[in-house]
Amino acid sequence: MNVPTAGYGSGAGHRVVVTGMGAVTSLGTDLASTWQGVISGASGITRIRQYGETTTPTHIAGQVDLASLPVPGACGLGRAARFGLAAADQAWRHAGLERNPPRPEVSGVCIGASTFPIIEDRLDRIGALLDGNRWNWSRYAQLCRENPWLLTQSDAAGVASLIAGRFCLRAFSLTAQAACTSATQAIGHAFHTLRAGGARVILAGGTDSMLSMMCVSGFELLGSLSQRWTDPARASRPFDRTRDGFVLAEGASILVLEEMEHALGRGAAIHGELIGYGSSCDAYRFTDMQPDGDGAVRCMNAALRDAGVSPSQVGYINAHGTATPLNDRTETLAIRRVFGAHADRLAISSTKSQLGHLLCAAGAIELTITTLALKHGILPPTINLDHPDPECDLDYIPWTSRAADVSIALSNSFGFGGQNGCLVVRRWDAPRLRLPPQRQYRSPRKVCITGVGVISPLGLDVATHFARLQRGLRAVVAPVARGIGDLEIPGVARVEGFDSQAAISSRMLRKILTSAASHAVAAAGQALRSSGLPQTALQEAALFVGSLGLDQDLNLFAEALKTSLDSNNRFSYARFASHGTALIDPLFLVKSLPNAGLCGAAIEFDLQGPNLNIMNGAASGLLAVSAAFDAVRSGSSAVAVAGGYDSPLQLETILSHLIEDRLQSASNKDCGYILGEGAAFFVLEDEAHARERNAHVYAEITGVAQSHSASAGASEALYQTASSALGDTIPEAVFGDGVNLPANDAIERETAERIRPGLPIHACTDNTGHCGVASPLFSLLHAALSAYNPALVWTSDRGRVHAAVALQQPPNDSCPG
Amino acid sequence: MNNEGSSSLTGQAQAAAPDAATVEKRVIEIVARCLDRKPSEVGLDSRLWGELSAESLDMLDIVYSLERAFIIRLPRLNLLQRARELFGEDTVVADGVITPAGLELMRLSMPEIPAASLTPNMGIQEFRYIITVESFVRVVHRCLEAKARIRCACGGLPAPVPDSPMELRCAACGAPLELPSGEQLLVDDLVQAGKALNLHPPGFAETAAVPLK
């Protein structure tokens, strides 16, 4: 149930193969039909019709035919969840795992997915839900009480957790969120985890469906979408001179990634080998790529280095190729910079020309297609490529697929926010090139914390926060904001007095970051400064962030929705199109990006290194610290920045806590918690590296672990996770959740007693409020600054996702406080 | 709330466009706010890209803010892109460089731009760097003038609609009235300027959305 610490040094250099694939796309609801459609040059793009014939006619997309998608037990699930489950089911059977399932404790799931409330599902009550230009919170709460499934649309960890539950995958359940790079990040992280021995089988991929009215409007307002809606099949035109933006799509692809010996041992058919992954941050702008393609160059180079192959060994690239004027030009330039003269011998295609842009699932379907292309020796075409662009002058396989004997291929993804990812796949029966050299695995490094930063309801820096925590102070429970006051809760704990003008130097970041993401950037800045590391070290540092699920202020839409009501107080698509969209802030989609904290920190501090944004519920921050620990321990990064942020103080988030009866109510303050917000960041560093520069060490991290369970198994899962992180040590104290709910508190107490009778549990939830992702990080900060030696930090998010981090005080302790 | 019928209409019927000085001042304020600057740092001749460090997201922000402030619909594409679609690729741009005819077209269409800014062999990527605050003022004026000419079929003047800030209805009979499309005004002006240069759109109605195979 627990993952052995995934240090590369411990289980060095396992090879990772693809043993199963599933796909749900606009070209077909299975792998075979999708592949046939892609290589025959078919287009899956049509007018959007799923929300009714009255949907704005200018909206086109690649849509999945839900009617032909059998998903047993899918009642009440949203589209993305159905696609994800169906693709996982296909992949599972394709890999022959239904006859021969892997052991749950060595199996996990890692996917890219998004969250967004589908306004369409609330439209039939919209007249009653709006008071003037604001939501009526009590009526909204009533709607959600009657239809609790509405809130699953904002459940960041939901789809991964469903997949983990269905296939009994207990090692971990992780959701990556890096906009259009999400699935590539998820697959890359799964690959590195398997290679390091952290699991034997991982269902990895992505699923997405952002075709509801507000999502499409959001991309449209940004000017990202093709305007060729009168001819949908010809609209997606990657690398063509007349390209004018991308076409949205929905769907899913899941791959079974398996440690090679495990696959061979059970006689599995192998479809390809994953041999490299690289990621980078542009650290430039939110929606524009670096014009010289620098970020893309760094991620392709990192992937090739990771795979141990030279550029000349690569035969095919499945390009990101979105068909925006900027992306295709920049990607072409980046490929030229990486491959030099060999670029002219490369075959490249963008299968977004057939499928559209699957957003958080794009990297998954594109890796699946790439794997099949190598296996079958057929390279898929770029359709709609009629007019050569002088700035896109490579071989993009126009219109017709091509037979080719290719051994090694890349799959690129570049996301909004500037997170880039690149995967390297090798044909399984390819003649042995010079074998990708085994990585130089060094002995595991000691990992210490050399920088800390925090923004919390208790204070805007570490000293204030910690001093107030030690004095047992509670954050001020603010009189609730307008709207929230209609709910029966005593208030919320807000971050008070935060000055973004002083904390953030980038004007654009101040404009587009939400307060939650601003807190993240500020806390990351504190951690970086307190580490005393020079900018040169920070530029290459790895960056791992746990982010809140949904950072969407629904009030941004209220005015537009109000305007869209007709004379009968009913929503009218015609009115929305003619008068509503003009009232929506065109930057709202950028402002609500779930990876805004990571990308904001990268831009503010010029962090260009490998990165991962985890959007997996309240445990996300500790999971980010775990991933950073693995990166430093393995020697792949000398410095990693890790942390997380959250602001659960938004309509749907508050309701999800309220409806589960987890919040203190005005009448009953003895049970449950109040909600808070904040961010905490840490600099993790190779101890030798820290010692060399005489850095102050706050604590040493000695172990990390995570797991997934059904809520019935939460107690055992938390115990196993804690034990795995602790190894042989017995902690002096645990820093836990303390959510003041009988069932949760009992699990924490029982687990602590099992570890050591009388083991004390500290929690700061009573002081800070329950700050979502940030709370377990406040625990980690508390533990790192405390005198308990050793100490254990854990969190158990709603009995599903469990994470633990074990700490020791440095030998010559000079901790503040 | 009932949006139908003249009885629910409030506010003044609108006729005359605001005067030039008011528009200029307001545009400068909005550009300054969107770029987090003091209005005194922004002049009519300030160039958005480069000089004022605007990015593409700022341009969206500025256009949205101007539309909301003046209740107008501004064009989304820049002039050069629209001209390329209208008059055909090779007429306006060749090998990534604006042609002499293209430059002449831009000069006629953007009288506020100093002639020296439109340099021969200007690349298409450089074009945006010549756009000034005054370019926005001109387009806002153009939209406001068109709005001021709106009359209902019954002769009534346009009036705002409660709870629907971007909607107009006839103050007299309550019939819906369309805000002039900035996009269409831009195209009209380009066609006009093209005529002066003897350039004609080759059936431009189909260029935007038809397969080019």
Side-chain angles (χ1 to χ4, degrees), chain A residues 507 511 559 563 575 578, chain B residues 34 58 61 68 73 167:
Chain A
R507 173 184 68 78
K511 176 192 284 211
E559 188 181 24
T563 289
R575 287 193 57 82
S578 59
Chain B
C34 290
D58 292 315
D61 197 15
R68 294 292 309 257
R73 299 233 154 163
E167 185 174 9

Side-chain angles (χ1 to χ4, degrees), chain A residues 176-189:
Chain A
Q177 172 47 260
C180 314
T181 307
S182 298
T184 297
Q185 283 221 337
I187 293 166
H189 183 66

Side-chain angles (χ1 to χ4, degrees), chain A residues 749-817:
Chain A
R749 270 198 311 277
E750 287 161 16
T751 308
E753 286 297 314
R754 271 180 86 182
I755 292 170
R756 197 200 80 192
L759 178 63
I761 305 177
H762 298 273
C764 48
T765 304
D766 196 36
N767 308 87
T768 59
H770 179 69
C771 303
V773 173
S775 272
L777 296 170
F778 295 161
S779 298
L780 179 62
L781 180 67
H782 193 179
L785 299 182
S786 78
Y788 293 106
N789 192 20
L792 179 68
V793 181
W794 73 32
T795 187
S796 178
D797 178 26
R798 299 187 186 196
R800 291 190 306 201
V801 177
H802 317 277
V805 173
L807 294 176
Q808 284 189 353
Q809 296 306 322
N812 300 315
D813 189 6
S814 55
C815 280

Side-chain angles (χ1 to χ4, degrees), chain A residues 212-373:
Chain A
S212 66
M213 182 174 71
M214 283 306 166
C215 300
V216 181
S217 300
F219 286 110
E220 179 134 301
L221 289 168
L222 282 174
S224 307
L225 300 182
S226 170
Q227 297 300 306
R228 296 169 186 270
W229 49 270
T230 53
D231 193 7
R234 301 284 83 88
S236 183
R237 313 178 67 78
F239 304 108
D240 186 277
R241 198 180 64 218
T242 65
R243 68 189 181 273
D244 68 336
F246 62 79
V247 175
L248 287 166
E250 62 180 356
S253 182
I254 304 280
L255 300 92
V256 175
L257 301 184
E258 193 166 352
E259 189 271 308
M260 183 185 71
E261 299 296 337
H262 190 272
L264 294 174
R266 67 183 183 88
I270 292 174
H271 306 288
E273 179 177 3
L274 205 49
I275 59 172
Y277 167 60
S279 70
S280 72
C281 261
D282 270 11
Y284 178 65
R285 285 181 187 169
F286 261 72
T287 52
D288 301 342
M289 290 175 77
Q290 271 172 316
D292 59 2
D294 223 38
V297 167
R298 279 186 278 111
C299 98
M300 282 189 270
N301 278 333
L304 291 170
R305 257 198 323 275
D306 191 55
V309 299
S310 66
S312 63
Q313 290 173 305
V314 175
Y316 169 69
I317 297 179
N318 189 296
H320 188 52
T322 55
T324 63
L326 186 63
N327 176 84
D328 295 2
R329 183 173 73 226
T330 313
E331 187 169 11
T332 300
L333 178 64
I335 290 171
R336 283 215 170 274
R337 285 181 59 191
V338 170
F339 290 90
H342 184 67
D344 291 308
R345 290 187 290 275
L346 278 171
I348 298 163
S349 58
S350 169
T351 42
K352 288 187 177 76
S353 60
Q354 295 93 323
L355 292 168
H357 192 340
L358 274 76
L359 302 173
C360 293
I365 189 64
E366 289 161 16
L367 181 69
T368 293
I369 290 167
T370 305
T371 305
L372 288 174

Side-chain angles (χ1 to χ4, degrees), chain A residues 498-640:
Chain A
F498 179 76
D499 178 5
S500 64
Q501 196 80 24
I504 298 173
S505 68
S506 158
R507 173 184 68 78
M508 184 53 82
L509 291 182
R510 291 198 301 269
K511 176 192 284 211
I512 60 179
L513 293 185
T514 60
S515 62
S518 304
H519 298 158
V521 173
Q526 291 174 22
L528 296 174
R529 281 188 296 277
S530 77
S531 75
L533 281 159
Q535 183 58 38
T536 45
L538 298 180
Q539 206 172 52
E540 294 171 6
L543 178 57
F544 299 87
V545 178
S547 70
L548 67 174
L550 180 72
D551 201 1
Q552 184 59 67
D553 180 0
L554 290 179
N555 279 325
L556 288 176
F557 307 136
E559 188 181 24
L561 292 171
K562 183 75 183 172
T563 289
S564 306
L565 298 176
D566 64 15
S567 53
N568 298 315
N569 217 22
R570 298 182 72 86
F571 180 84
S572 151
Y573 277 103
R575 287 193 57 82
F576 178 71
S578 59
H579 307 300
T581 49
L583 299 174
I584 302 175
D585 177 356
L587 305 189
F588 87 84
L589 202 63
V590 175
K591 290 177 176 175
S592 64
L593 281 176
N595 58 340
L598 186 151
C599 298
I603 290 168
E604 177 80 3
F605 305 112
D606 197 24
L607 309 174
Q608 304 180 3
N611 57 86
L612 174 68
N613 192 66
I614 298 171
M615 183 190 72
N616 208 56
S620 300
L622 274 197
L623 298 176
V625 170
S626 296
F629 171 83
D630 288 340
V632 176
R633 187 169 182 271
S634 67
S636 66
S637 294
V639 176

Side-chain angles (χ1 to χ4, degrees), chain A residues 712-736:
Chain A
S715 184
E716 180 63 20
L718 182 60
Y719 175 73
Q720 295 292 344
T721 306
S723 304
S724 173
L726 284 167
D728 299 332
T729 59
I730 302 290
E732 288 186 349
V734 171
F735 295 80

